[in-house]
Amino acid sequence: MHREPSTNACTDPQMRGSLAIRLVMKALGARSAFYVGFLVGTCSLYLFLSQVGLSRNLGSHGPEPHAKTVEEMIEEESKNWKKERSALFNLNHPHHTGEDGILADDLYKRVRVLCWVMTGPSNLEKKARHVKATWSRHCNIVVFVSSVDDPDFPTVGLNTKEGRDQLYWKTIRAFHYVMEKHGDEADWFLKADDDTYVIVDNLRWILANHSPEDPIYFGRRFKPYVKQGYMSGGAGYVLSREALRRFVEGFSKKVCTHTSSVEDLAMGQCMEKVGVLAGDSRDTIQRETFHPFVPDSHLAGTFPKTFWYWNYCYYPIVQGPQCCSDLAVSFHYVDASKMYLLEYYTYHLRAFGYEYRYQPPEPHIPQDKAPVPDNMEVGDLGQNQAVEKKEEENKSPEQNEKL
Amino acid sequence: MMSEGCSFMKGMFLGGIFCLVMSLFGTFSPGPQGDGHLHHHLKPVSKDELQKLSEAQMYDLTQQVRVYCVIMVTPKLLVYWATANDTWSKHCDKSVFYTSESSKALEALDLQEDDEWARLRKAITHAYENAGDLRWFFVARPTTFAIIENLKYLVLEKDPSQPFYIGRTEKSGELEYVEYDGGIVLSYEAMKRLVEIFKDEEKCPARGHALWKMSEEKQLATCLKYSGVFAENGEDAQGKSLFNKKSVTSMISDSMGKNPNDVVESCCSDLAITFGGMPAGQMQVMMYGVYRLRPYGHDFHDSLTFLPPKDSDND
């Protein structure tokens, strides 16, 4: 069939290009033109498809991990958290695929921990958000304490300003707040900064040996200024329900007041005044569990001899691998990416089949909490003696109490 | 002339249809090229399969899968050398450091060879000849951190008398090779064939090609290809790569950018085998993170047991 050149739908619209094509066509002949057209068609559509992203990936590195959309995230959050009264209530103790979390679940029910995190409006996106995404999911209840109320995050505003000089005010008000709103809903009350990483499961292992009715608190023990020592603020510290009750009572009776803005020291002084014991948080082979710095510093770093740290620690300082318990509870000065790294190391990455050197004994739950198991392991005897010793120690501060 | 133009258009149209049909059928990659067991992806045996084995069988498997670590060092990398010596290499059944130049500070086998490819050849030959009854070989630089137990799990029921060349695979033109920074795993048979083909100056020249210098990883892949051994990408059950040429901090940063709502899950495998480019201090932290730090009350009940090495206190 012959058609007029200028109006032919088969020809290329651009004039110059079509001229060249026409010449090429003439030279090739119909059959070859067909084959060339076939090739051009295949190639151009392939390029088009790869642009659109439909062509399969040839460089085999496995399927791309499915990025979570905001909707999926919100849905998952509503399954795991209940937001109520400006606190986050954990509905499910997080589980990892393929793990047996029976022991951890049991402790989760017996040893209820409320975590309150010291933060501020300018740090919500930078720091507090990552705390919320990682370790705080293992607390029974989480409260983010700020100077401003934020119902979305959620944070609680406690009528303070921001700044280092406000730290003790925030602490005082925070403890009063959690006592009032959640005093019956938890056994232990942990204070942490928004750059502290806490392994709550390991905290429960330590706390399970004690009763929340004991006036005791735990953290990284420092020795100066306070006779029985005080706990480092940054490394986090945890009060028993009785200790919290005494703290609040101490303020109402004016035994404790806002003495200084050095939060951890002032806290330690108040604790001593109201007869709360400074506990030993080390593991069964005397390795520290609460840490005032990142793991790199404790494991591989060297602190200069003039560094304040050397004169502060209550117990002998160990540097290198024995600095830190396998069941570490906290690290401080942890930035966002390190939070995720610690989460990966703690809950995800492992050596398949590896038999750990340190085999921690099961905690001995105090009499009033749960019945003592019939078959006690040898390890338990050690814990048992430790508990008895502590209870004896408890008696002396109580006798000294003037209240 | 118009008939040609129309033929051309018809051809184009049919070409487009052809392309669509082909892409619907699957990838464009050509079929298997050669040996029988060739897969591009290699995964460890599933947990269910493991549980079917008896205790005696599991014990045998654990005893059989033993790894010879070939660690290529230079005096420039002294700090990494010392760290690898103090950390992950303790978990190899046998680890030998091969150096370009001996150092008073640390023990190593001095190959007295400046050229990296020539050094690698010598090291591989030496390792093969001194393998004893070890059947799996792991080649790495001391800037890579390896979790040998996870490597053992990956190759647990694979037969080392078959040629295996495993790691993080990458493609360069037609050549699929394993990236050096992610560590290279070779079975006894692969080593045997390598040592054999090292003698062939044409296919596997000692000094590399004259025109341009190919990296050792590509040279290795080429020589192996001529012996009929092909690269396989080590992955976990979810398809995540087990071998990583980037450091763990770098991968977490990437994940924070790409998947800010699910950083850790989308980042790296639970049973990762290697991370490359790790600074020495971070290797100490990883040692602690892998072999010690854990949450109380969460157990995995892996069907196998690997015991901690003797005379070591950081694991």
Side-chain angles (χ1 to χ4, degrees):
Chain A
M1 239 169 69
H2 295 279
R3 293 187 193 157
E4 284 305 310
S6 49
T7 57
N8 196 322
C10 288
T11 57
D12 191 297
Q14 289 172 349
M15 289 311 291
R16 280 204 190 149
S18 62
L19 196 65
I21 286 176
R22 273 180 230 180
L23 292 170
V24 170
M25 292 302 143
K26 264 210 163 129
L28 285 177
R31 196 156 225 179
S32 327
F34 179 81
Y35 291 136
V36 173
F38 187 81
L39 268 163
V40 171
T42 318
C43 297
S44 50
L45 200 70
Y46 177 73
L47 286 169
F48 173 72
L49 286 178
S50 55
Q51 289 287 340
V52 176
L54 287 176
S55 67
R56 301 291 171 81
N57 195 351
L58 289 179
S60 41
H61 278 303
E64 281 296 320
H66 170 61
K68 273 201 187 161
T69 61
V70 182
E71 290 81 33
E72 282 176 317
M73 193 196 87
I74 291 175
E75 201 195 296
E76 216 185 85
E77 268 202 24
S78 63
K79 279 193 231 141
N80 292 324
W81 292 112
K82 183 176 69 167
K83 211 194 287 185
E84 205 187 279
R85 295 175 272 144
S86 294
L88 289 166
F89 288 78
N90 212 331
L91 297 170
N92 309 301
H93 187 206
H95 269 225
H96 199 58
T97 31
E99 78 169 16
D100 163 18
I102 290 179
L103 263 178
D105 279 347
D106 186 57
L107 281 183
Y108 182 82
K109 293 194 202 102
R110 287 183 200 268
V111 185
R112 299 170 304 167
V113 178
L114 180 148
C115 307
W116 74 262
V117 182
M118 178 105 82
T119 185
S122 57
N123 278 341
L124 288 188
E125 279 307 298
K126 267 194 296 179
K127 297 185 179 186
R129 179 167 71 96
H130 306 294
V131 169
K132 193 170 151 200
T134 59
W135 64 263
S136 65
R137 296 181 309 138
H138 299 269
C139 307
N140 298 73
I141 307 173
V142 184
V143 180
F144 288 91
V145 170
S146 173
S147 51
V148 175
D149 268 330
D150 180 334
D152 288 321
F153 193 85
T155 67
V156 171
L158 293 178
N159 238 339
T160 62
K161 286 168 270 179
E162 287 297 318
R164 276 195 82 81
D165 58 328
Q166 297 292 306
L167 288 177
Y168 195 37
W169 276 122
K170 263 185 170 171
T171 305
I172 295 167
R173 299 232 167 98
F175 275 121
H176 278 75
Y177 174 87
V178 300
M179 172 79 190
E180 191 192 315
K181 306 279 182 184
H182 304 286
D184 298 326
E185 292 165 326
D187 304 308
W188 298 86
F189 301 83
L190 170 82
K191 176 260 170 182
D193 287 343
D194 52 17
D195 60 352
T196 309
Y197 184 85
V198 182
I199 303 168
V200 190
D201 293 285
N202 293 342
L203 177 61
R204 289 197 184 93
W205 176 72
I206 293 176
L207 298 178
N209 292 297
H210 303 270
S211 163
E213 311 310 325
D214 290 341
I216 193 167
Y217 79 127
F218 294 97
R220 168 61 85 112
R221 206 164 165 188
F222 281 165
K223 68 180 176 211
Y225 312 119
V226 183
K227 191 156 165 269
Q228 68 164 1
Y230 67 97
M231 304 306 174
S232 153
Y237 51 82
V238 59
L239 272 63
S240 68
R241 193 167 45 229
E242 176 59 21
L244 177 61
R245 199 194 61 76
R246 291 192 186 195
F247 178 74
V248 171
E249 191 182 57
F251 271 85
S252 76
K253 294 195 173 166
K254 305 265 195 273
V255 172
C256 292
T257 55
H258 183 275
T259 47
S260 84
S261 62
V262 184
E263 166 244 334
D264 45 14
L265 177 52
M267 187 77 198
Q269 287 166 331
C270 175
M271 289 282 101
E272 194 170 64
K273 281 201 188 128
V274 299
V276 172
L277 190 73
D280 179 357
S281 58
R282 296 175 301 170
D283 69 13
T284 55
I285 52 176
Q286 279 74 53
R287 294 184 302 197
E288 295 274 14
T289 54
F290 288 75
H291 300 98
F293 301 106
V294 286
D296 320 43
S297 307
H298 291 283
L299 287 166
T302 35
F303 302 115
K305 290 265 158 73
T306 51
F307 195 44
W308 58 263
Y309 184 61
W310 291 104
N311 298 318
Y312 267 57
C313 286
Y314 192 91
Y315 302 110
I317 294 181
V318 180
Q319 286 204 283
Q322 299 311 310
C323 67
C324 318
S325 174
D326 288 18
L327 301 184
V329 172
S330 72
F331 293 100
H332 186 216
Y333 298 118
V334 180
D335 65 12
S337 77
K338 213 166 212 111
M339 289 243 171
Y340 294 111
L341 179 64
L342 283 172
E343 184 88 354
Y344 178 58
Y345 280 157
T346 311
Y347 289 97
H348 296 256
L349 184 63
R350 72 185 203 281
F352 189 84
Y354 187 67
E355 194 178 88
Y356 296 111
R357 274 188 215 274
Y358 180 60
Q359 297 289 331
E362 270 191 47
H364 170 227
I365 318 284
Q367 275 286 174
D368 51 293
K369 253 291 177 175
V372 178
D374 290 331
N375 46 331
M376 277 201 343
E377 295 156 27
V378 177
D380 282 356
L381 281 175
Q383 292 282 22
N384 218 350
Q385 284 164 2
V387 171
E388 280 164 21
K389 204 177 162 197
K390 287 270 159 63
E391 287 177 41
E392 275 173 40
E393 280 176 55
N394 285 354
K395 290 185 190 150
S396 23
E398 280 176 28
Q399 283 169 358
N400 291 338
E401 230 186 305
K402 284 171 190 170
L403 295 169
Chain B
M1 194 235 78
M2 281 320 114
S3 62
E4 283 107 3
C6 279
S7 304
F8 180 82
M9 294 312 291
K10 278 183 211 164
M12 247 187 83
F13 182 68
L14 279 174
I17 303 283
F18 173 75
C19 181
L20 272 170
V21 168
M22 286 312 292
S23 67
L24 280 172
F25 269 126
T27 62
F28 274 87
S29 63
Q33 315 144 329
D35 268 54
H37 81 279
L38 175 73
H39 317 283
H40 284 292
H41 312 271
L42 198 85
K43 294 187 188 205
V45 62
S46 73
K47 269 206 149 176
D48 303 321
E49 286 295 316
L50 259 188
Q51 271 158 4
K52 288 183 194 157
L53 299 172
S54 71
E55 260 195 59
Q57 281 173 311
M58 291 223 255
Y59 179 78
D60 284 339
L61 276 178
T62 324
Q63 293 304 305
Q64 275 166 36
V65 65
R66 300 171 73 221
V67 179
Y68 185 127
C69 292
V70 174
I71 308 170
M72 306 296 296
V73 298
T74 62
K76 258 198 290 183
L77 300 173
L78 198 65
V79 178
Y80 295 100
W81 178 348
T83 309
N85 197 25
D86 188 40
T87 58
W88 62 267
S89 69
K90 290 191 278 194
H91 290 252
C92 305
D93 294 281
K94 178 172 180 169
S95 62
V96 182
F97 290 80
Y98 294 90
T99 181
S100 57
E101 202 186 301
S102 58
S103 159
K104 289 204 182 108
L106 292 159
E107 249 186 64
L109 214 85
D110 189 354
L111 298 170
Q112 284 155 347
E113 182 63 68
D114 268 336
D115 181 58
E116 285 149 344
W117 171 233
R119 216 162 51 231
L120 186 60
R121 288 168 61 114
K122 277 192 178 178
I124 286 175
T125 312
H126 179 271
Y128 174 71
E129 286 165 1
N130 293 277
D133 58 353
L134 301 173
R135 291 290 170 265
W136 290 97
F137 300 80
F138 175 67
V139 182
R141 294 193 185 107
T143 43
T144 304
F145 188 100
I147 304 167
I148 301 294
E149 286 79 8
N150 293 345
L151 168 54
K152 289 186 176 185
Y153 176 47
L154 177 66
V155 299
L156 195 65
E157 26 66 73
K158 300 343 182 228
D159 183 4
S161 62
Q162 288 291 314
F164 282 97
Y165 167 43
I166 314 165
R168 183 178 182 84
T169 56
E170 194 53 77
K171 228 182 166 144
S172 169
E174 270 304 311
L175 183 71
E176 196 157 2
Y177 64 95
V178 167
E179 298 208 78
Y180 206 160
D181 283 332
I184 307 170
V185 180
L186 293 159
S187 67
Y188 190 74
E189 177 63 23
M191 293 286 279
K192 184 170 172 201
R193 295 192 191 185
L194 255 185
V195 171
E196 207 31 61
I197 206 162
F198 281 161
K199 300 176 188 158
D200 187 334
E201 262 300 310
E202 254 189 55
K203 296 198 179 127
C204 192
R207 297 288 145 181
H209 296 282
L211 279 177
W212 75 91
K213 205 158 185 231
M214 229 178 9
S215 62
E216 308 100 276
E217 54 199 0
K218 291 187 191 153
Q219 301 248 37
L220 192 68
T222 313
C223 295
L224 280 165
K225 197 171 171 183
Y226 279 123
S227 322
V229 184
F230 301 93
E232 297 180 77
N233 194 52
E235 311 174 343
D236 67 10
Q238 287 76 44
K240 281 194 199 151
S241 201
L242 292 171
F243 296 86
N244 302 293
K245 65 171 179 181
K246 286 183 172 179
S247 72
V248 65
T249 37
S250 170
M251 293 186 69
I252 292 215
S253 286
D254 289 348
S255 193
M256 282 172 73
K258 271 192 243 159
N259 304 292
N261 298 322
D262 204 17
V263 178
V264 182
E265 281 290 337
S266 0
C267 163
C268 323
S269 176
D270 283 14
L271 295 170
I273 296 174
T274 57
F275 291 98
M278 300 270 297
Q282 276 183 40
M283 287 208 198
Q284 295 283 7
V285 181
M286 184 167 261
M287 199 70 181
Y288 174 70
V290 172
Y291 293 108
R292 296 176 53 206
L293 183 66
R294 61 202 186 270
Y296 181 78
H298 298 256
D299 288 306
F300 282 95
H301 304 308
D302 295 324
S303 324
L304 302 176
T305 307
F306 293 115
L307 295 176
K310 296 195 176 84
D311 306 318
S312 178
D313 74 338
N314 57 0
D315 54 16

